[in-house]
């Protein structure tokens, strides 16, 4: 007995000519989860103890989310075009704007968020790594929500699996062979487990920059592992065959290295005073 992919209509409901897709709903859920967790973060140290002009407020969260959404959309789309199909989009540049056809990259979205928070920290006169440490634990559950959208769409399925694997699943668009439900693996690893670890670690109030470093290393590691069970994009199978690593794994390597270097740098750095004067 092999599990069959549950045929789920990607359209959740329609309002006249407007079709609301489940994938779009999962993005809204992700942003809602960020707001909920960010409001909880305001009660945690060091943010609850910061006084003066540098004190954190709910308005900061709203502005941070707005800039982050822009970073996710723009960075995620450009990252997909540059990392996964550079030749195609170089020949068809107008297709870059056709976001309704799909194609988003986590690593590109992450770079977009990083740049958006540079602007936020500068405009609010807040230390950059203090901002990123605030953001990092609030992100993983949103990533988990996105993987639910991938599963509903029946996309980003896994590699071939042993039919005896209890949770092996047949994805109709991928042929009759059972496969790993890699979207579920990523939901659990890069989403739920990463959130639990970062949330606990952040509550220990480590040095400024180390929560961000933990995110880079942990996400990079979990994504690297999950990629062994995820089917590489068809046009990038040559990379996996020639190097033994998928594009997603190659993008995770500098991410993990950067996280280790950031953690060491933060460990040696002089702690910042909490009270802004």
């Amino acid at each position: 007995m092999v599990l069959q992919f549950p045929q789920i209509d990607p359209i959740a409901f329609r309002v006249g000519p407007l079709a609301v897709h489940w994938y779009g709903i999962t993005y809204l859920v992700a942003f809602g989860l960020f707001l909920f967790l960010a409001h909880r973060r305001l009660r945690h140290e060091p943010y609850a103890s910061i006084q003066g002009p540098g004190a954190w407020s709910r308005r900061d969260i709203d502005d941070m989310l707005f800039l982050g959404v822009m970073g996710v959309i723009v960075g995620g789309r450009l990252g997909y075009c540059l990392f996964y199909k550079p030749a195609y989009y170089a020949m068809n540049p107008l297709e870059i704007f056709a976001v309704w056809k799909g194609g988003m990259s986590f690593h590109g979205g992450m770079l977009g968020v990083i740049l958006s928070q540079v602007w936020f920290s500068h405009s609010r006169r807040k230390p950059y790594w203090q901002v990123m440490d605030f953001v990092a634990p609030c992100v993983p559950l949103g990533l988990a929500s996105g993987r639910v959208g991938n599963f509903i769409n029946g996309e980003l399925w896994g590699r071939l699996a042993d039919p005896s694997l209890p949770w092996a699943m047949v994805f109709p668009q991928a042929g009759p062979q059972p496969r790993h439900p890699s979207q579920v693996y990523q939901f659990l690893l890069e989403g739920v487990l990463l959130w639990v670890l970062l949330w606990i670690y952040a509550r220990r109030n480590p040095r400024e920059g180390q929560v961000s470093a933990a995110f880079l290393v942990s996400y990079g590691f979990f994504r690297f592992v999950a990629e062994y069970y995820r089917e590489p994009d068809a046009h990038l199978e040559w990379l996996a065959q020639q190097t033994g690593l998928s594009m997603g794994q190659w993008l995770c390597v500098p991410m993990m290295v950067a996280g280790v270097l950031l953690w060491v740098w933060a460990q040696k750095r002089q702690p910042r005073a909490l009270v802004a004067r």
Side-chain angles (χ1 to χ4, degrees):
M1 297 295 292
V2 177
L3 296 176
Q4 298 292 321
F5 175 74
Q7 293 291 347
I8 304 173
D9 189 341
I11 298 177
F13 59 89
R14 297 179 182 273
V15 180
L18 178 65
V20 179
H21 290 250
W22 283 111
Y23 194 67
I25 292 176
T26 62
Y27 265 69
L28 291 178
V29 170
F31 300 145
L33 287 169
F34 178 89
L35 283 175
F36 172 75
L37 294 174
H39 287 146
R40 296 292 299 271
R41 284 283 282 157
L42 286 178
R43 308 173 193 171
H44 299 169
E45 296 298 338
Y47 308 98
S49 299
I50 298 175
Q51 303 175 15
W56 284 73
S57 68
R58 292 176 179 268
R59 180 183 174 186
D60 290 327
I61 294 174
D62 295 339
D63 293 344
M64 182 186 298
L65 176 62
F66 174 78
L67 292 172
V69 169
M70 296 298 102
V72 167
I73 296 174
V74 176
R77 182 59 176 170
L78 292 179
Y80 178 81
C81 297
L82 292 174
F83 298 150
Y84 291 91
K85 290 187 175 180
Y88 173 82
Y89 288 104
M91 296 294 295
N92 304 276
L94 293 180
E95 287 287 309
I96 295 175
F97 302 99
V99 294
W100 57 88
K101 294 184 178 181
M104 296 286 282
S105 162
F106 163 79
H107 295 90
M110 183 187 69
L111 292 175
V113 170
I114 288 173
L115 292 177
S116 73
Q117 300 313 304
V118 168
W119 172 258
F120 174 82
S121 65
H122 174 75
S123 62
R124 289 289 192 276
R125 300 182 183 277
K126 296 182 183 297
Y128 177 71
W129 291 115
Q130 184 185 101
V131 171
M132 296 307 294
D133 285 352
F134 184 92
V135 171
C138 304
V139 169
L141 287 186
L143 300 178
S145 180
R147 294 308 177 193
V148 172
N150 294 144
F151 183 80
I152 290 174
N153 286 346
E155 60 190 8
L156 304 183
W157 52 73
R159 301 175 191 253
L160 296 178
D162 188 326
S164 64
L165 187 70
W167 53 84
M169 182 173 291
V170 174
F171 293 86
Q173 297 176 338
Q177 302 92 343
R179 294 178 175 273
H180 289 279
S182 56
Q183 313 97 322
V184 178
Y185 298 171
Q186 292 186 265
F187 167 85
L188 294 173
L189 289 175
E190 306 161 13
V192 178
L193 179 57
L194 179 59
W195 173 71
V196 170
L197 294 177
L198 283 181
W199 198 259
I200 293 174
Y201 182 61
R203 291 301 306 271
R204 295 177 57 188
N205 194 19
R207 289 176 179 265
E208 192 173 287
Q210 289 187 327
V211 177
S212 301
F215 175 88
L216 293 173
V217 174
S218 301
Y219 178 89
F221 174 75
F222 291 144
R223 175 67 180 269
F224 193 93
V225 171
E227 286 281 334
Y228 279 118
Y229 301 95
R230 175 173 160 176
E231 184 73 13
D233 291 349
H235 61 283
L236 290 174
E237 283 189 10
W238 63 270
L239 181 65
Q241 293 171 355
Q242 293 184 12
T243 67
L245 299 178
S246 67
M247 175 60 78
Q249 288 174 313
W250 279 112
L251 293 173
C252 285
V253 171
M255 185 177 179
M256 289 186 286
V257 171
V260 171
L261 294 177
L262 174 59
W263 196 93
V264 173
W265 172 79
Q267 185 67 20
K268 296 180 179 180
R269 190 183 182 204
Q270 183 71 21
R272 186 188 300 272
L274 296 181
V275 180
R277 301 184 184 279

